[in-house]
Amino acid sequence: MSSSSQKRYEEAIQQVDVIIANCIDMELHYQGLINKVHPSHRASACNLIHYITYRNHISTSLKRFLFGKGLSGLKNAEAHIMASLQLTRKRLHQLAHDEVPPPIETAVTFKKAEKIAKRNSRQLLGNKSKKRNVRIMVTQPSEAANNSHLAAQMMRSGMNTVRINCAHDTETEWLQMIRHVRAGMDTMQKHVKITMDLGGPKVRTGAIQHGPKVAHLRPERDDFGRVIDPGKAALIAEGQLFPDEDNIYIPIPSTALRNLLLGEDLSFQDTRGKKRLLRITEIEGKVIWVHGYESAYIQTGTEMTSSQSNQTFAVGEIPPLEQYLLLKKGDHLTLHKEQTPGEPAKYDRDGNLLQKAHISCTAAEVFEDVKAGERIIFDDGKIIGYIHENTGDELEIKITHAKDLGTKLKMDKGINFPVSRLHISGLTDKDKEDLKFVTKHADVINMSFVNTTADVEQLISELDLLGAKSHIGVVLKIETMTAVKNIVKLLLSAMQLEKVGVMIARGDLAIECGWQNVGLVQEELLKICRSAHIPTIWATQVMENLAKKGVPSRAEITDAVMAQKADCIMLNKGMYILEAIQLLDTILINTEKAHWDKKQFFKEMAY
């Protein structure tokens, strides 16, 4: 071996030795925090500190040197970092023909890391399926309170973990959902974990004055009054979720829906007493599409008669027309603290502005924290503006990004302040009240918008008061950049509990860190949690197009494959949720097989 090669090996060995020494020093520095974690997490807490130390000290040049020598550059070593560092040092000594120094005793070996991670996932998220390791978590829709079979159908399709969101419905509906889940467990002879989300201090738009409960079908006509595009609507079964906000949906009894025939007409009188017809043009699974060639107003209770199947039925509950503010680039919007219904902008006959559009904000605290000149983002980035003035009770906002023809801002849409230093965190009064129910009926609490260790300590204190600290699991939902920056301290604080997990909530997180950074942030969170052997949940818009519209996009299929890096994948609600669960189950099984056998799909490649 040349002297230059020998010298490079010696430098690499020295660098690895320095990293190992720093890991040991930092473990001693954090010993106070490590001693506070649950006994089952002590070794994992040490490994977490070791990994962060390694991450902060490893150089790119050392990684490249190790990779060039076939040592993989310590890639994917986060779950057993000290064992990997020592093995790397041993191999370097062997390649340099040096005497190998005695190993330092490590608490987390390669096998132990895998064993701890599997145990933690099982305790928090429940048993895995027979053919895959990654769990599937499914959000329960409101209809699950009235549909006694839905939970069992979800389990049969592949659901391992149930999610109920306390931001929606009431204790009455939650209890019914849980009863149906437990009945489904008995039916399926399968145990699933029940998780419940605390609403948390989410900042959203307030109410807008509701419109009438009516569906209006309007055909498009040419200059001669001839119909060039009929009014379109979809008939769905009563109790079904509306798949999207883009189409008109008319709920009817499920028995009537099943018996309707393609091509037949539905006759009725609209709200004005005018006789109207709708023609069935397409039957698409659970949805029947109809066309109308005259303007028609349909309300709850409207009686319809079919021309061929000879049945008469009443239209179910039609929700009120959802009002909105239409905002364009350059518009001004007032966001106010007072909880009065929002209104769109008002103009006189000449188009002069009489009153700016205005809407309330659900969190009064933000008015104390935000400043003029800071950005404000609505509805996951669909509308962006900046704060022109903060009067204390109102924010005057100028819109800088929206669609050319305007973007609709509706009630209960998220508001983000990506550069503002907000002091909103911890448990709300509603969260504390909901905890009394959750600790009695659920296995796991999902804590929303956790930002600091004080938030975690507050939750642990509340659990202690309720006598639930020893048996309930806690998932930290990482939704802000503050939480990302505090992730190590958040984990060490939460690891006082035996069952702990992290949900990577990519919706708000993407707005906070920027679209260009969300992939990197997500990857970093996965690695840090893996180093602490903490189970992770991959959430937000997974298979969303399939769940809501029945057809998956190519991008979301790829996302589902990549989601296998996590321990659990969360699906949200939708009309086609069973199909989404089934497809995700198949994707995960096939991908796990292919991970170990690259010839799973193509047995032989031509060459």
Side-chain angles (χ1 to χ4, degrees):
M1 181 185 296
S2 67
S3 59
S4 60
S5 295
Q6 183 71 30
K7 184 179 178 182
R8 187 65 189 96
Y9 276 115
E10 289 173 358
E11 288 174 352
I13 291 168
Q14 185 180 15
Q15 286 176 287
V16 172
D17 283 339
V18 168
I19 293 173
I20 291 173
N22 285 331
C23 287
I24 295 170
D25 288 344
M26 292 308 293
E27 179 184 336
L28 292 172
H29 179 76
Y30 280 93
Q31 199 62 53
L33 284 175
I34 292 171
N35 289 338
K36 289 182 180 179
V37 307
H38 191 276
S40 64
H41 294 313
R42 295 269 166 81
S44 300
C46 290
N47 194 74
L48 168 62
I49 298 301
H50 293 164
Y51 171 70
I52 297 300
T53 306
Y54 153 80
R55 177 190 176 279
N56 292 342
H57 288 84
I58 187 75
S59 66
T60 303
S61 61
L62 177 57
K63 284 184 179 180
R64 287 177 175 168
F65 176 77
L66 295 174
F67 189 80
K69 300 304 176 184
L71 298 177
S72 76
L74 291 167
K75 189 177 181 181
N76 300 325
E78 50 270 5
H80 36 70
I81 190 66
M82 186 61 84
S84 295
L85 283 167
Q86 292 205 66
L87 182 60
T88 299
R89 183 177 66 166
K90 178 181 177 180
R91 294 287 182 259
L92 286 171
H93 276 287
Q94 289 172 337
L95 289 169
H97 305 295
D98 286 344
E99 183 180 344
V100 178
I104 302 168
E105 186 177 349
T106 58
V108 181
T109 62
F110 294 94
K111 286 186 177 179
K112 189 172 182 180
E114 184 178 6
K115 186 177 180 180
I116 294 172
K118 286 183 177 180
R119 178 201 67 197
N120 291 347
S121 291
R122 183 175 61 253
Q123 287 181 340
L124 183 76
L125 301 168
N127 295 324
K128 68 181 185 67
S129 296
K130 289 182 180 179
K131 296 182 180 180
R132 58 175 163 81
N133 291 308
V134 178
R135 278 77 169 172
I136 297 176
M137 176 186 289
V138 184
T139 303
Q140 299 301 290
S142 297
E143 66 174 285
N146 302 315
N147 187 337
S148 59
H149 305 294
L150 184 58
Q153 291 171 332
M154 288 180 175
M155 290 180 210
R156 189 176 293 111
S157 298
M159 177 179 71
N160 306 99
T161 311
V162 169
R163 174 179 177 252
I164 297 171
N165 192 348
C166 293
H168 304 290
D169 305 308
T170 67
E171 289 186 9
T172 302
E173 286 79 25
W174 303 338
L175 188 58
Q176 280 299 101
M177 291 178 193
I178 290 168
R179 285 173 177 165
H180 292 156
V181 169
R182 299 203 185 283
M185 290 187 208
D186 293 338
T187 301
M188 296 297 299
Q189 292 294 294
K190 176 180 179 179
H191 186 266
V192 299
K193 292 282 188 177
I194 297 172
T195 73
M196 296 187 74
D197 277 36
L198 299 178
K202 172 73 172 175
V203 184
R204 292 184 177 275
T205 53
I208 301 176
Q209 192 68 45
H210 279 307
K213 292 186 176 183
V214 65
H216 183 197
L217 275 69
R218 283 179 289 194
E220 186 180 347
R221 299 178 183 272
D222 63 15
D223 293 339
F224 296 96
R226 296 173 297 208
V227 174
I228 56 175
D229 189 22
K232 301 181 182 71
L235 306 180
I236 61 173
E238 286 182 282
Q240 284 277 11
L241 285 173
F242 287 17
D244 54 60
E245 300 175 352
D246 302 325
N247 296 294
I248 295 173
Y249 291 93
I250 301 172
I252 66 172
S254 57
T255 51
L257 190 75
R258 286 196 296 269
N259 294 322
L260 291 175
L261 304 172
L262 185 65
E264 71 173 317
D265 293 329
L266 304 177
S267 59
F268 62 96
Q269 284 191 344
D270 77 355
T271 59
R272 304 163 298 172
K274 294 183 179 289
K275 294 181 179 180
R276 292 291 184 256
L277 288 177
L278 296 178
R279 176 157 296 170
I280 296 175
T281 59
E282 186 178 359
I283 298 178
E284 189 182 72
K286 302 174 184 177
V287 176
I288 294 179
W289 292 94
V290 294
H291 286 178
Y293 293 86
E294 294 180 287
S295 180
Y297 294 83
I298 302 168
Q299 64 183 350
T300 301
T302 296
E303 286 200 346
M304 294 187 172
T305 302
S306 59
S307 60
Q308 295 180 40
S309 53
N310 296 318
Q311 53 179 334
T312 299
F313 53 86
V315 170
E317 185 71 20
I318 290 181
L321 281 175
E322 189 174 6
Q323 301 299 292
Y324 55 84
L325 313 183
L326 187 66
L327 298 172
K328 300 178 182 178
K329 183 178 179 180
D331 283 353
H332 288 82
L333 170 70
T334 300
L335 187 71
H336 46 79
K337 188 185 294 186
E338 186 180 356
Q339 296 300 304
T340 53
E343 296 176 295
K346 294 180 180 178
Y347 299 87
D348 63 18
R349 291 181 179 180
D350 298 322
N352 298 311
L353 181 66
L354 297 175
Q355 177 183 296
K356 286 182 286 188
H358 68 91
I359 195 167
S360 64
C361 174
T362 58
E365 303 93 321
V366 301
F367 292 84
E368 300 173 12
D369 296 330
V370 299
K371 300 173 184 176
E374 293 178 339
R375 281 203 309 158
I376 181 170
I377 300 176
F378 297 93
D379 196 8
D380 289 340
K382 293 183 177 69
I383 300 170
I384 301 174
Y386 73 89
I387 300 168
H388 179 68
E389 183 184 5
N390 181 355
T391 67
D393 293 320
E394 295 181 345
L395 301 182
E396 298 299 333
I397 298 160
K398 184 171 183 180
I399 304 303
T400 58
H401 170 78
K403 292 180 180 178
D404 291 341
L405 297 177
T407 301
K408 296 176 182 178
L409 179 61
K410 299 181 179 180
M411 65 177 289
D412 201 35
K413 295 301 179 182
I415 307 175
N416 293 87
F417 301 88
V419 298
S420 305
R421 293 178 63 85
L422 301 183
H423 294 88
I424 298 177
S425 61
L427 301 173
T428 65
D429 291 339
K430 182 180 184 301
D431 292 337
K432 292 176 184 177
E433 194 62 34
D434 291 344
L435 265 178
K436 297 173 185 176
F437 178 93
V438 174
T439 52
K440 287 181 181 177
H441 299 282
D443 302 300
V444 178
I445 298 164
N446 301 328
M447 187 181 188
S448 300
F449 290 96
V450 57
N451 283 312
T452 66
T453 55
D455 300 337
V456 179
E457 296 293 342
Q458 184 188 17
L459 176 61
I460 292 174
S461 178
E462 290 291 329
L463 294 178
D464 206 13
L465 289 173
L466 294 168
K469 181 180 173 182
S470 61
H471 71 265
I472 201 158
V474 169
V475 169
L476 307 180
K477 294 176 67 177
I478 306 301
E479 304 175 79
T480 67
M481 280 307 294
T482 301
V484 172
K485 292 172 183 176
N486 291 333
I487 186 63
V488 176
K489 291 180 180 178
L490 289 174
L491 289 177
L492 288 172
S493 183
M495 287 163 75
Q496 295 176 64
L497 303 169
E498 185 177 8
K499 291 173 278 190
V500 185
V502 163
M503 181 183 289
I504 303 174
R506 301 179 298 169
D508 284 282
L509 194 55
I511 300 302
E512 288 270 331
C513 69
W515 301 109
Q516 71 277 18
N517 297 319
V518 67
L520 296 173
V521 171
Q522 176 177 284
E523 194 70 21
E524 196 65 51
L525 288 171
L526 286 169
K527 288 182 178 180
I528 292 171
C529 291
R530 201 175 295 129
S531 74
H533 311 123
I534 295 298
T536 49
I537 301 166
W538 185 290
T540 312
Q541 294 183 320
V542 180
M543 309 287 279
E544 186 177 62
N545 210 59
L546 172 57
K548 290 187 174 180
K549 298 184 179 180
V551 180
S553 70
R554 291 153 184 80
E556 66 187 18
I557 295 297
T558 305
D559 181 56
V561 173
M562 296 303 293
Q564 200 168 31
K565 294 179 180 181
D567 301 280
C568 180
I569 301 172
M570 191 190 88
L571 294 176
N572 223 320
K573 52 198 174 185
M575 178 180 284
Y576 300 93
I577 187 60
L578 296 179
E579 290 85 345
I581 299 170
Q582 290 161 10
L583 181 56
L584 180 58
D585 178 61
T586 302
I587 289 171
L588 292 175
I589 290 171
N590 291 343
T591 307
E592 283 193 28
K593 286 180 182 177
H595 179 75
W596 298 107
D597 181 2
K598 301 302 181 186
K599 296 189 294 182
Q600 274 293 319
F601 190 72
F602 293 111
K603 293 302 179 184
E604 288 188 17
M605 294 293 292
Y607 61 95

